[in-house]
Amino acid sequence: MDTIERTQQQARELLNSRIDSVTDLVKARQHVADLEAQLVDAKKDNKKAYVRATKDGWSPEELKKLGLDQATTTRRRATKKPTETQSAPTANA
């Protein structure tokens, strides 16, 4: 019986180390999800602030000279265009 209990204890220790690594993975994934959500919110705030600046009289050219161009919106549009272009020929074929 002593051998069985010792083997069971060793097996539990091995399982515990595996559980710890999975727990760390879950925590890391949750951290990434939290940061992605924060990034989405920050991008929304950025867009609102940009629109407000233009409504307050700043031209896009002036903002660009200040290093405050609408880069995030431009990148998003650039990402969409190739996808739309690629899907259009497939739909026509």
Side-chain angles (χ1 to χ4, degrees), residues 41-51 69-70 72-73:
D41 290 341
K43 285 183 176 184
K44 287 178 186 176
D45 291 344
N46 177 60
K47 186 172 183 174
K48 288 177 187 176
Y50 184 87
V51 169
D69 60 344
Q70 205 171 5
T72 53
T73 304

Side-chain angles (χ1 to χ4, degrees), residues 25-39:
L25 178 59
V26 169
K27 288 178 181 178
R29 296 269 171 104
Q30 185 59 53
H31 185 67
V32 168
D34 292 345
L35 291 174
E36 286 174 339
Q38 288 178 12
L39 181 59

